[in-house]
Amino acid sequence: MVDLKTQYANIKEEIDTAIQEVLDSAYYVGGPKVAAFGASLEKYLGVNHVIPCANGTDALQIALMALGLEPGDEVIVPAHTYVATAEVIALLRLSPVMVDVDKDSMNVTAELVERAITPRTKAIVPVHLYGQSADMEGIMAVAQKHNLFVVEDNAQAIGADFTFSNGKKKKTGTIGHIGCTSFYPAKNLGCYGDGGAIFTNDSELAQKIKMIANHGQSRRYYHDEIGCNSRLDAIQAAVLDVKLKYLDEYAAARNAVANAYDRAFANIQGLKTPYRSKFTTHVFHQYTLQVLDGKRDELQAFLAEKEIPTMIYYPVPLYKQKGFAKFYHGDVLPVTEYLSDTVISLPIHTEMSVEVQEKIIAGVMSFFE
Ligand SMILES: *Cc1c(COP(=O)(O)O)cnc(C)c1O
């Protein structure tokens, strides 16, 4: 699905130098490389505070911990997402309220979120799925009206731009009260291990987040609240600081592949190519098709035979997962169900040769001939 080997080979010298500096410095956790990367990412995103942490799931958990919610408080999440988004809510004894998504954008909308609000609702966690932003202007308006926090799950969309109706642009993850991301190797900004970060423009929240990620301590051995231990190590920060310079280039490379796929599949009746919401750029963490006429699994098997890897993100709605069923008592969510049965993601990455693209395109086309 991704080619991290070639990507590394293309920036090997810079990466190796940066890692060697960490080895020589003996600052393995924290220290100058982590601080430098945090500052670079703040600048890139145009956000006041970036707090690096151990992974994207921790980022979400720490963000929610910083909001001071009470057990049983409701947090709205899309039912069509990666498990981590809802997992941390349940882990904190909050109540995940799963809502349906829009069939075109495959993201939550302001309207779907607003319908799920009750007097117990305290926060919304929109996910910018596959690499394009949910309607953050609409969602922030709903949040403001009902006095709710918004924590953006930006693990799949780092680098995407959201454009407001007045023409102003902001990076995804910097619009809500807090934004979270993951630096898992296969993410758009990936390190060589685990990593994550939390973003906010609110200095008070930033202070609290830093404290929680560091055992709740305000100064060494003084623990003002219950926190956790979530750190980005210096080797990962060194890798990320190099790769951040290429992030926009990488997004452009992904878009070129997506455009080639779009062109090739435009006239296939049985396929719906990814919809582009007008208010956001797309960074194509995934290129996700909808396969109509119940043929998704057949297409996947057909492509596997031709050694073309594909993935289903995600095959089971969250509320149908054994661990999450108890949190949901409503009707099935029709679009979530539909997407679970129809989506398929094709390989897409930053180093994809035209030959490889053509092989994948030919494979898909031949299925529909
Ligand atoms: C990857 C991902 C996460 C979790 O990140 P990890 O670093 O793997 O913990 C959370 N939410 C979404 C939408 C993701 O894609």
Side-chain angles (χ1 to χ4, degrees):
M1 294 294 289
V2 293
D3 180 4
L4 297 174
K5 242 183 187 172
T6 311
Q7 193 189 60
Y8 168 59
N10 289 337
I11 52 172
K12 180 173 166 35
E13 233 170 275
E14 270 181 285
I15 294 275
D16 290 1
T17 305
I19 291 178
Q20 190 59 51
E21 283 168 13
V22 174
L23 299 182
D24 292 336
S25 79
Y27 274 111
Y28 301 132
V29 169
K33 285 284 186 195
V34 177
F37 169 62
S40 307
L41 192 55
E42 281 166 3
K43 185 153 171 251
Y44 173 83
L45 293 171
V47 72
N48 291 342
H49 307 276
V50 165
I51 301 103
C53 66
N55 58 66
T57 308
D58 274 8
L60 289 162
Q61 181 186 323
I62 294 163
L64 289 170
M65 286 170 82
L67 300 179
L69 307 183
E70 300 288 340
D73 283 350
E74 292 177 3
V75 180
I76 296 173
V77 283
H80 184 65
T81 182
Y82 183 54
V83 66
T85 322
E87 184 180 39
V88 295
I89 297 169
L91 192 70
L92 295 172
R93 298 277 180 250
L94 304 169
S95 184
V97 174
M98 300 167 221
V99 300
D100 215 359
V101 294
D102 173 65
K103 199 167 175 174
D104 290 325
S105 68
M106 303 186 265
N107 275 324
V108 287
T109 64
E111 198 197 336
L112 288 162
V113 165
E114 188 160 30
R115 262 191 247 154
I117 292 171
T118 76
R120 298 227 63 172
T121 307
K122 292 289 156 57
I124 308 165
V125 186
V127 180
H128 306 313
L129 201 67
Y130 305 136
Q132 69 178 342
S133 184
D135 174 13
M136 286 306 294
E137 184 163 3
I139 290 168
M140 291 310 290
V142 167
Q144 195 162 18
K145 184 168 140 199
H146 297 272
N147 200 21
L148 308 175
F149 290 112
V150 176
V151 175
E152 297 172 78
D153 183 343
N154 197 36
Q156 300 192 3
I158 193 158
D161 288 310
F162 182 88
T163 306
F164 290 83
S165 47
N166 65 5
K168 213 175 145 198
K169 284 183 204 289
K170 279 190 184 177
K171 291 283 181 201
T172 54
T174 70
I175 302 163
H177 301 89
I178 307 179
C180 298
T181 204
S182 162
F183 303 126
Y184 182 76
K187 299 279 155 107
N188 285 36
L189 180 59
C191 57
Y192 296 166
D194 272 308
I198 306 157
F199 327 135
T200 186
N201 281 311
D202 182 321
S203 300
E204 249 174 73
L205 275 176
Q207 209 47 43
K208 197 142 185 223
I209 288 163
K210 268 183 221 164
M211 215 160 88
I212 290 170
N214 185 24
H215 298 290
Q217 69 187 353
S218 50
R219 59 196 164 103
R220 208 163 205 184
Y221 306 125
Y222 290 80
H223 304 274
D224 298 356
E225 53 186 296
I226 303 298
C228 57
N229 171 25
S230 189
R231 304 185 281 232
L232 182 70
D233 71 72
I235 289 181
Q236 304 315 330
V239 169
L240 289 164
D241 211 17
V242 171
K243 287 182 70 175
L244 179 59
K245 288 186 282 186
Y246 298 99
L247 185 59
D248 288 344
E249 237 174 78
Y250 287 162
R254 288 169 177 275
N255 268 276
V257 177
N259 291 338
Y261 283 158
D262 275 355
R263 276 193 303 275
F265 306 145
N267 295 320
I268 298 181
Q269 298 299 319
L271 278 184
K272 182 174 152 63
T273 54
Y275 175 83
R276 317 292 178 91
S277 299
K278 60 183 183 310
F279 44 69
T280 171
T281 59
H282 203 319
V283 294
F284 283 101
H285 174 58
Q286 299 299 340
Y287 183 89
T288 303
L289 294 159
Q290 296 174 20
V291 188
L292 314 179
D293 312 317
K295 295 234 174 83
R296 196 266 313 270
D297 294 347
E298 221 179 301
L299 172 63
Q300 185 172 40
F302 180 86
L303 293 175
E305 198 116 305
K306 293 183 178 304
E307 292 182 346
I308 297 171
T310 56
M311 289 293 282
I312 311 299
Y313 304 110
Y314 297 94
V316 181
L318 268 184
Y319 53 83
K320 285 193 167 167
Q321 302 283 0
K322 267 194 212 161
F324 287 87
K326 67 170 179 245
F327 295 109
Y328 191 80
H329 308 287
D331 296 329
V332 298
L333 300 174
V335 178
T336 297
E337 297 274 330
Y338 172 82
L339 294 177
S340 303
D341 293 336
T342 57
V343 291
I344 190 167
S345 300
L346 299 182
I348 191 163
H349 53 85
T350 55
E351 325 290 323
M352 220 161 153
S353 68
V354 173
E355 293 72 41
V356 171
Q357 293 172 43
E358 280 172 353
K359 180 187 164 192
I360 294 165
I361 287 169
V364 173
M365 304 282 279
S366 66
F367 178 79
F368 290 97
E369 269 158 12

